[in-house]
Amino acid sequence: MRFLFLGDMVGKTGRTAVWERLPGLISDFKLDFVVVNGENAAGGFGITEEIFLETINAGADVVTTGNHVWDQKEAVGFAGRHDQFLRPANYPVGTPGRGANLFIARNGARVLVANVMGRVFMHPELDDPFTAGETILASCPLGEQADAVIFDFHAEATSEKQCFGHFVDGRASVVVGTHTHVPTADCQILNGGTAYMSDAGMCGDYDSSLGMDKEEPLNRFISKMPKGRFEAASGPATICGLAVEISDRTGLAEKVAPLRLGPRLAEALPEFWR
């Protein structure tokens, strides 16, 4: 199975780049399943239902989120209406929406996608992500009810992301980190066969501060005083993510590589898709 994960869409420039590039990627490389993190798609803060639907229409099979999931008030209302919209699974019982769901890929595979949020340096502090991950895996094990298992681990601390990867190694197909908006250089296949990357990076303007216009963050670092609001940067976007070939037999990763397409960072396209 050919799987693509795209990191946090930030603002209009980020989401537009995804909408423009994703249909071609799916067609050119015969992708079977695509997950996109959309939690910063609405001006850098949350996601609207319209943006969610546009992302699905562009070819995403699932849209995941994170700590900004409720920044747009309408998300509380639409979260429960769309099976393809995920919020972190370790929110308390009774939270609107769902944190994991089973989907059918274009090749017919059953794909479990789960969205989990870390707790180190993260707000709000949610329930234990390791317990949540264990519960999700127990309810739909790889090789039994699921042919592939994907985790979007939305967290600040790389150590927490890495430990979660080791925790589910051999029981999940992919663990990919989101939230920090900078692509890491550690994509790999762990010892048990799980594809791992600490952070997929963002889909947004990299001439920025994590996708936000750099002037206000810079001002606050220097003066310690706000002059205005954070606004999403509007320059040309680079889309970043993780490409994985998943075994149809075992559900574990066979090949893994970063994907970067755009004007700012060095482009990277998986050799095994060329």
Side-chain angles (χ1 to χ4, degrees):
M1 185 176 81
R2 288 189 165 189
F3 169 70
L4 175 65
F5 183 92
L6 294 180
D8 309 41
M9 296 188 296
V10 182
K12 183 177 181 179
T13 188
R15 67 181 188 253
T16 301
V18 170
W19 297 345
E20 290 176 349
R21 300 297 293 267
L22 184 54
L25 289 171
I26 293 171
S27 175
D28 292 345
F29 302 114
K30 298 178 173 59
L31 303 185
D32 296 304
F33 202 80
V34 177
V35 177
V36 179
N37 186 290
E39 75 142 11
N40 301 115
F45 300 97
I47 185 169
T48 65
E49 187 171 24
E50 180 181 2
I51 292 172
F52 162 73
L53 291 172
E54 285 285 351
T55 305
I56 294 298
N57 290 338
D61 295 286
V62 180
V63 174
T64 53
T65 55
N67 59 303
H68 289 289
V69 60
W70 311 123
D71 283 4
Q72 301 295 320
K73 292 181 180 180
E74 66 180 88
V76 175
F78 77 74
R81 293 202 296 266
H82 300 289
D83 292 343
Q84 294 164 285
F85 182 82
L86 298 184
R87 46 84 174 158
N90 48 332
Y91 265 98
V93 173
T95 302
R98 56 190 55 79
N101 211 350
L102 191 66
F103 305 92
I104 303 300
R106 280 173 276 280
N107 67 340
R110 301 163 300 169
V111 183
L112 175 66
V113 182
N115 194 181
V116 178
M117 195 166 103
R119 296 203 292 186
V120 179
F121 308 128
M122 294 293 290
H123 300 283
E125 185 172 311
L126 303 185
D127 297 339
D128 180 16
F130 293 86
T131 300
E134 187 65 45
T135 299
I136 290 165
L137 290 172
S139 68
C140 193
L142 180 64
E144 297 180 25
Q145 282 89 359
D147 301 308
V149 176
I150 312 296
F151 278 97
D152 174 348
F153 195 80
H154 195 80
E156 182 75 28
T158 301
S159 57
E160 189 178 22
K161 294 177 179 180
Q162 289 180 335
C163 284
F164 187 84
H166 293 305
F167 180 66
V168 302
D169 186 21
R171 301 187 291 159
S173 312
V174 180
V175 173
V176 57
T178 54
H179 179 66
T180 56
H181 293 198
V182 178
T184 55
D186 63 341
C187 72
Q188 60 186 290
I189 298 176
L190 301 178
N191 293 339
T194 297
Y196 174 84
M197 187 177 189
S198 291
D199 204 282
M202 68 173 178
C203 298
D205 178 7
Y206 278 82
D207 184 16
S208 67
S209 176
L210 305 182
M212 308 306 286
D213 184 90
K214 57 195 173 190
E215 295 306 322
E216 181 58 18
L218 182 59
N219 162 68
R220 294 190 191 188
F221 277 117
I222 295 170
S223 72
K224 314 303 179 187
M225 294 287 291
K227 286 185 178 178
R229 299 178 58 186
F230 286 142
E231 302 284 349
S234 58
T238 297
I239 64 172
C240 290
L242 179 69
V244 186
E245 291 273 2
I246 299 172
S247 169
D248 294 331
R249 182 178 62 85
T250 66
L252 296 172
E254 295 181 326
K255 299 175 183 177
V256 61
L259 180 137
R260 294 187 301 272
L261 294 172
R264 196 75 187 182
L265 305 184
E267 289 203 348
L269 192 64
E271 289 289 339
F272 50 84
W273 284 0
R274 291 177 187 261

